Amino acid sequence: LRSSRGTEWVDAVLQGDARAARAIAEATPELPYYITRDPVAWRAALRARTRGLRRAGLVASAGARRLRAEGLGVQVPDIADWFLKRWPDIRSSEALETFATEYDCQGLELDMVGLAWGGDFLRHAGQWRARRFAGHQWQFVRGAEEQRYILNTYRVLLTRARYETIIWVPPGSAATDPFHDITRPAAEMDALAEFLIASGARPLEALPKQAEPAPDLAQLL
């Protein structure tokens, strides 16, 4: 992480301590965590920050089953191609079409990470609640070991970037929508976004502009 306090911030967030996380963020102007609700802006920011040799990619929890309804439902088919190929090869992570799960990216890093937050780990009544998707609905996880596993999944995903992590919190499905999807209610995603912002995650608009790469003198002569 660009900031040595990034891990501390992640720990505070996953402990549910928004006050401590915000104190870390306020004391660390370079804290590399940003948030957006807009998937188009999310991908555009990742592309804009990966000029030259830097590379970006999308990550998500293997348990985030309802991201499919938000337009992100394809797990990376070949992790070697995903990490090693470069754009314009569409198999590359830089295509921003497929996502790596915690299993794919354990022990590996990207320069920029786009984390799609799923419905398997959300805020309920002021607490983190882990869930699994079974059949056609979410079920709360009651076993302590599985709860820790899902929490640690998000710890892995939040610490895969050498530089910035941009968190995308999907809009979810509005209760007023005639085709309202009860597996991804907007109110749950709104509560998550509010918690992350209260914890000091910065709006995507605050992401510093990437400097233009120096021209290749050989091409100019």
Side-chain angles (χ1 to χ4, degrees):
L1 297 172
R2 175 179 293 173
S3 168
S4 61
R5 302 205 68 190
T7 300
E8 294 178 54
W9 184 83
V10 169
D11 286 343
V13 167
L14 295 180
Q15 289 169 12
D17 192 340
R19 181 176 298 180
R22 188 168 193 88
I24 293 168
E26 290 176 347
T28 314
E30 70 279 16
L31 191 77
Y33 288 94
Y34 297 84
I35 184 171
T36 184
R37 310 297 302 278
D38 183 344
V40 175
W42 182 51
R43 286 184 169 92
L46 290 166
R47 289 194 174 101
R49 299 288 292 181
T50 50
R51 299 189 178 108
L53 295 179
R54 289 188 183 180
R55 66 184 301 138
L58 307 181
V59 301
S61 164
R65 300 278 297 279
R66 295 305 294 144
L67 286 175
R68 178 175 61 186
E70 303 285 358
L72 189 68
V74 181
Q75 185 178 341
V76 55
D78 188 320
I79 196 63
D81 285 342
W82 195 80
F83 268 103
L84 298 176
K85 303 295 185 183
R86 300 304 305 264
W87 179 258
D89 190 319
I90 60 170
R91 294 170 295 178
S92 166
S93 68
E94 296 168 330
L96 304 180
E97 293 182 1
T98 59
F99 65 88
T101 70
E102 67 274 18
Y103 304 111
D104 300 317
C105 63
Q106 183 80 44
L108 299 172
E109 291 182 329
L110 294 165
D111 296 301
M112 292 281 297
V113 164
L115 167 56
W117 206 291
D120 56 333
F121 195 60
L122 294 177
R123 304 286 296 174
H124 287 270
Q127 302 289 327
W128 286 114
R129 295 296 301 272
R131 307 190 299 186
R132 74 169 74 88
F133 197 76
H136 67 285
Q137 62 187 350
W138 290 104
Q139 297 177 348
F140 285 114
V141 171
R142 305 199 181 279
E145 184 174 349
E146 189 175 356
Q147 289 177 11
R148 284 193 298 271
Y149 179 84
I150 295 173
L151 182 148
N152 284 328
T153 289
Y154 278 84
R155 188 186 309 281
V156 168
L157 298 176
L158 282 163
T159 54
R160 293 306 91 194
R162 297 185 185 96
Y163 298 98
E164 291 88 2
T165 295
I166 304 176
I167 302 167
W168 172 49
V169 177
S173 175
T176 55
D177 189 327
F179 294 98
H180 175 54
D181 180 355
I182 61 172
T183 69
R184 50 189 187 91
E188 291 183 345
M189 307 314 291
D190 292 345
L192 169 65
E194 289 167 7
F195 173 78
L196 292 173
I197 291 169
S199 298
R202 310 184 197 288
L204 182 58
E205 295 75 18
L207 183 67
K209 299 297 183 183
Q210 180 73 18
E212 291 292 333
D216 187 336
L217 295 181
Q219 294 181 357
L220 297 177
L221 295 177

